[in-house]
Amino acid sequence: MSSSVVNKIEELARPIVEAKQAFIIDVMLRGERGGKVVEVYVDADTGVTTDLCADISRELSHALDIAGVIQGRFHLVVSSPG
């Protein structure tokens, strides 16, 4: 996948994640037409909860839809690396 798309996803994710007092560990984009998966791995000094991941996922999904960074359908996964 194009590193420029991953960079754009990370640019959109960074302020959302940082607003939740968390930080990005990694951003990955895999799959092809109709089956793309965006994976964003986050961590926080206070730990990562499912609520934190859900909040980030909701906001980032909306931002990705508006920005049109990813063509076609995609599945967004926000998780901790552990």
Side-chain angles (χ1 to χ4, degrees), residues 21-61:
Q21 284 72 51
F23 49 92
I24 296 173
I25 298 294
D26 198 9
V27 175
M28 297 171 52
L29 178 62
R30 59 185 173 87
E32 296 299 324
R33 300 182 336 211
K36 292 181 183 165
V37 178
V38 177
E39 298 173 320
V40 179
Y41 294 96
V42 299
D43 206 349
D45 293 333
T46 57
V48 177
T49 65
T50 55
D51 287 340
L52 174 65
C53 291
D55 288 346
I56 292 170
S57 179
R58 215 173 359 265
E59 291 182 37
L60 181 55
S61 179

Side-chain angles (χ1 to χ4, degrees), residues 10-24:
E10 189 169 345
E11 287 174 17
L12 286 170
R14 187 172 314 288
I16 294 167
V17 171
E18 289 177 353
K20 309 284 184 201
Q21 284 72 51
F23 49 92
I24 296 173

